[in-house]
Each structure stands twice: as structure tokens, then as C-alpha cells.
Amino acid sequence: MKKVSVLIVFLFITFALISLGVSVSGQFGPEEWTQYRMNSDKNALFNNNSQPLTEKTFKTADEVRATPVVVGNSLFIGNHNSGDLFAFNVKTGEKLWQNKAPNWIHSEMIYQDGKVFVGFGNRFFQDNGIRGTEESGVLALDAESGEIIWKYNTDGEVMPTPALYEGSLYIATGDRNLYKLNPNSGELLHKAEIGSTASMSSPNITEGMLFVGGSGPKPYTFSAYDLTSDEFKWQTEFPDVFAGLDDVPPAVSKNLVVTTALVGNSDNPEHKMYAMNVDTGDIVWEASLGVGEFVKNNKSGAPMIYEGKVFVGSPITKTFYAYDLESGKMIWKFKNEVMKAPPVAQDDIVYFSNTKGYVYALDVETGEKIGEKKLNGKLAPSGPIIINDTMFIGSQDSNVYAFPLSEFSSSGEEDGEVAAAEKTPSKDPKDSNNIGYYVISGLLIIMLVGIALMLKKRKKV
């Protein structure tokens, strides 16, 4: 009877911990991270009921322009310019290891089976038109020790994040090729000529298809590659595009692949968004985000899809947008500053960052500002991610910042202007969670008292 009572208490406590937001496994992040921003819709979101972290700053050696990756209890990040690579304990902030790549790091450090994979290279062009000077390629490192397992060199840069699929590693490059490697050995398994340069358009793998945007030689071309047959399924040309298509990691949802690009010229650039059929490459709809001022780097904002809506920031118009995924109609827009990174959304709130160091929280239905958070440095082109109600974002001030979503304030020095939206009362991102927390806490206390009285009664008998 005593063993049964202990088992009942154990099971009850386990259930209570899960209900109250405590991960029984002890692992804070997901078990793997196999492509840019983890998910095909590019909404980098994960929740296993762990409690949010307290505010932390992870200090690196140089500018952070890659999106941080959280797997288990580790955070992985690399540096622009210096090529330094880091792993941190996500809960304590302790640096676990540091290593170095031969060139810039703009790629995420993706993870699978105890290894991290990261691309390296720079944006400068060789005389032959290949993008990337000095050494370019991809590294595989032991996730525990940071030791390099293998290195594979390419003729052009690997600034896009690699992607893993069914035992193979895929990399798009500045030498206009798509490489398929063995992730255990780095052996080349297959090489396909894309015909256009991938600068930062990280491949998106969805249901056996790989999608990637490319630039020169003109016309700019968007490609879909069948990973089963190792053949291109379709390639759609964009003759009016002069920039951006090769920079944007596409987002995929509901049989549509969404990307953005610039048309016109650098004196009068127009920012456009396109949705293509994943099976044919036909353009289902296109939308103009407007005309504005040309920016030097990361010229075209990266889209994210959440609950049937496309969210994207434009560095050209300095405006954040919500569009209907199916029709391509604008729902609302929020005037702000230069923004380049993909946003993230949770609980009907969308979060985006700008180059002034701010992260904003907006209502997904109306565009009404709910809160904001001021950080340091330029928050570009690294976008925010959310793991267990904790936001992580890299900055060009060399830090990765982590803080609970409850820290978003309803006021601040910087503001924005919302259009085409009905005004609604602001709401705290954690209000609904707090109500559930207190209800479950009360039930837990009542049940624990009941179990204690039952065990005491049995002991007397």
C-alpha cells in the first residue's frame, strides 16, 4: 500500500509540473533544428511547457547577424567578420565552447544527432562572377565539444543556412550550385547546377521539396528541387527583379511558397511580394509593398506565415505588413523604421525587430501595438525566435539577448503608426497564461492537501 501511495504521489506531481509549465525532461529547447528558423513557415517557435528564462545576455566575439539556435539546453551562434562559433548553456549563460570558422558566419548552426552544421563565406565577388572570396564551405562540429568533425570547401560562399533531410545535408552557394553531402563524413553525394547565385536565401525544405531564390546571371530565378529524384521540378524567372530574391529565405504554407524582391532600380526601388504554387511555380498572386529608399545590405525583407497570414517587414518602405496568404490582400500595415529580419508569432501576437534596436509586439488581427522592448545595437538580419515564452535575438553589438515575453512594455521612446486596422485595447502577452497558472496552482494545493490527509488516515489505520 505504501508503494502504491508513493506512485500516486509521483504521478500526481509529474502531472502538476507539466500543468504548471515545467518540462519533466529538463530539456529547454527542441531535440533537433534541421533548417533555417526550424519550421517551413519560418515561424521559429517551440514550447514544451518549460518555464520562461530570466533575462540573459550571451556575449560573443563580434557582430551577430545569424539567428540563434536553441537545442536542448544549448544555444549555438556564430559571428560575422571574425567567424567565431559559440555554444552556451541556455539556462545558466555559461559558455560551453568556442571555435572558429575560416570566414564570415551568417548561417544558422543547425543541429541533428549530436552534430552542428554551419556554412561560412563572405559577400565579395571573384573576377569570374562567383560570390565569395577567400575560403568558403560548410563545417560539421561535435555539439558537445565544439571540435570540427569535417570541413567541405566550395568555390562560392555558403552564407545561406544549410538544411538536413532524410540523412543528407543540402547547401546553396555563391557558385550557383546545390550540394548534397553525407552529414557524417562530409562526402559529396550529388551536385546540381542551380544556374543562379544564392546569397542569403536559405533553402526551405517542405515535404520532399527544396525551395531557394537566386540572382545573377539575370534573370533572377526561383527554384524548386525534388529531393527524391535529385532534379529541379521547376524554375520561375523574374525578369523585372534587380535585387533581393537571392537574399530572402522563402516561407511555405498551404501549397504556397512566399518570397520578396525589388523591381525597378536602385534610384526608385519597389518592394514586391510573390506567392507561387509549390507544385508548378506559377505566381498565384503578387503584391506591392510600396516604393522607398534603397538600402545597402539585406535589401528585401523575409516573410513569415502564421494562421493564414503573411507577415513581413520592408527595409525599403520602413513598414511592417500583414497580408492574407490565400488572396494576397493587405490586412494592415505598421509604419516604423528599417527592418529586415523575419518576425515570429505566438498567441495572436507577432513580434518584429528593427535596426534601431527595438522589438515590437503587435496584435496579429489589427496591427495594434501591444508592447515593445529596447535592446542594443542593430537587430538585423537576425530575427527573433521564441522558445518557451522566452525570446532570443542576436544583435550587431555582439550579444544574443534572451528575455521572457512578459518584459514587453506598453510604452517607450519609439512608436509606430498603424493603418487599415481597428483600434483595440492593448493586452499583456502573459495575461491568459497567468490566469491559467493561478487556477492550476489553487487546484494543486487543494489536491496535495487531500492526498496528505488520505495518507495520514491510512497510517492511523
Side-chain angles (χ1 to χ4, degrees):
M1 179 62 69
K2 185 177 180 181
K3 290 182 178 180
V4 173
S5 300
V6 172
L7 179 61
I8 292 172
V9 172
F10 173 78
L11 291 174
F12 174 74
I13 291 174
T14 300
F15 171 77
L17 289 174
I18 294 173
S19 300
L20 289 172
V22 179
S23 173
V24 178
S25 69
Q27 297 296 303
F28 187 75
E31 294 181 356
E32 61 179 17
W33 192 297
T34 60
Q35 65 174 310
Y36 178 77
R37 294 185 68 79
M38 185 166 47
N39 302 314
S40 297
D41 57 14
K42 300 310 157 196
N43 189 28
L45 176 70
F46 176 81
N47 190 342
N48 67 358
N49 293 317
S50 293
Q51 283 293 309
L53 299 179
T54 57
E55 187 168 349
K56 288 181 173 58
T57 301
F58 303 90
K59 178 70 175 175
T60 72
D62 210 318
E63 292 183 6
V64 174
R65 299 195 183 186
T67 302
V69 165
V70 176
V71 177
N73 291 326
S74 297
L75 181 149
F76 302 99
I77 192 66
N79 285 141
H80 174 74
N81 290 324
S82 68
D84 285 283
L85 302 168
F86 292 86
F88 296 92
N89 183 302
V90 75
K91 293 183 176 180
T92 66
E94 175 193 1
K95 184 175 77 173
L96 302 176
W97 53 259
Q98 180 178 352
N99 208 325
K100 199 176 185 70
N103 212 328
W104 295 1
I105 299 294
H106 280 240
S107 156
E108 289 180 3
M109 295 171 68
I110 61 172
Y111 176 99
Q112 191 175 67
D113 297 334
K115 293 185 284 292
V116 288
F117 305 89
V118 62
F120 58 90
N122 62 41
R123 63 170 173 256
F124 306 117
F125 283 88
Q126 303 176 30
D127 293 337
N128 59 6
I130 289 177
R131 190 174 191 263
T133 60
E134 302 176 29
E135 193 172 354
S136 299
V138 63
L139 292 174
L141 301 95
D142 183 279
E144 291 291 330
S145 66
E147 294 181 4
I148 295 174
I149 300 171
W150 54 259
K151 178 177 68 170
Y152 184 88
N153 287 109
T154 55
D155 293 332
E157 45 78 15
V158 187
M159 293 175 69
T161 298
L164 289 155
Y165 179 75
E166 292 192 351
S168 296
L169 179 73
Y170 296 87
I171 54 173
T173 70
D175 58 42
R176 305 167 191 158
N177 288 297
L178 178 68
Y179 294 80
K180 177 182 179 180
L181 305 178
N182 182 317
N184 295 317
S185 64
E187 174 191 0
L188 177 65
L189 301 176
H190 188 75
K191 181 178 176 181
E193 185 178 353
I194 301 175
S196 56
T197 303
S199 58
M200 286 180 60
S201 181
S202 298
N204 185 327
I205 294 180
T206 306
E207 297 181 356
M209 294 293 295
L210 181 149
F211 302 95
V212 64
S215 60
K218 293 183 177 180
Y220 280 52
T221 302
F222 193 94
S223 301
Y225 188 79
D226 190 320
L227 300 179
T228 302
S229 63
D230 277 327
E231 295 176 340
F232 287 99
K233 186 171 185 179
W234 51 260
Q235 291 186 298
T236 298
E237 295 181 349
F238 289 81
D240 296 330
V241 168
F242 78 94
L245 191 73
D246 57 322
D247 272 339
V248 177
V252 179
S253 179
K254 295 183 178 178
N255 209 43
L256 292 175
V257 53
V258 181
T259 189
T260 72
L262 302 186
V263 299
N265 55 60
S266 58
D267 294 328
N268 196 39
E270 181 181 5
H271 197 180
K272 299 195 77 172
M273 182 161 56
Y274 304 91
M276 291 165 280
N277 182 289
V278 297
D279 296 319
T280 65
D282 294 336
I283 297 175
V284 177
W285 57 259
E286 61 182 81
S288 175
L289 305 181
V291 177
E293 185 177 350
F294 192 67
V295 295
K296 185 178 179 182
N297 299 317
N298 314 118
K299 305 170 183 66
S300 192
M304 180 275 290
I305 301 170
Y306 173 74
E307 293 189 350
K309 298 179 182 65
V310 183
F311 297 94
V312 64
S314 172
I316 302 301
T317 65
K318 299 180 181 179
T319 302
F320 188 77
Y321 301 87
Y323 276 77
D324 181 79
L325 173 63
E326 184 177 348
S327 67
K329 301 296 184 182
M330 188 183 74
I331 302 170
W332 52 258
K333 60 183 178 180
F334 183 86
K335 188 71 176 176
N336 194 244
E337 290 288 345
V338 172
M339 61 199 81
K340 305 177 179 183
V344 64
Q346 175 181 278
D347 297 333
D348 294 326
I349 300 171
V350 61
Y351 303 84
F352 76 89
S353 56
N354 67 25
T355 57
K356 298 293 185 180
Y358 281 83
V359 185
Y360 282 85
L362 307 181
D363 186 289
V364 299
E365 297 295 335
T366 66
E368 180 77 11
K369 189 183 81 168
I370 292 170
E372 63 187 56
K373 174 77 173 177
K374 178 66 171 73
L375 301 171
N376 295 319
K378 289 184 178 181
L379 307 179
S382 169
I385 68 170
I386 297 175
I387 310 292
N388 291 307
D389 290 337
T390 306
M391 179 167 288
F392 296 83
I393 186 167
S395 171
Q396 292 185 31
D397 71 354
S398 80
N399 294 315
V400 173
Y401 295 99
F403 54 91
L405 296 181
S406 57
E407 289 195 8
F408 277 91
S409 64
S410 59
S411 62
E413 296 178 2
E414 218 181 61
D415 208 340
E417 180 181 335
V418 66
E422 297 178 1
K423 298 292 183 179
T424 57
S426 295
K427 56 185 177 183
D428 190 320
K430 293 292 288 181
D431 277 350
S432 59
N433 289 343
N434 285 339
I435 293 171
Y437 180 87
Y438 291 124
V439 170
I440 293 173
S441 296
L443 291 173
L444 175 60
I445 292 170
I446 293 170
M447 292 177 73
L448 284 174
V449 170
I451 289 175
L453 292 172
M454 180 184 70
L455 292 176
K456 184 177 181 181
K457 184 177 180 181
R458 286 181 178 177
K459 191 173 181 181
K460 286 182 178 180
V461 173

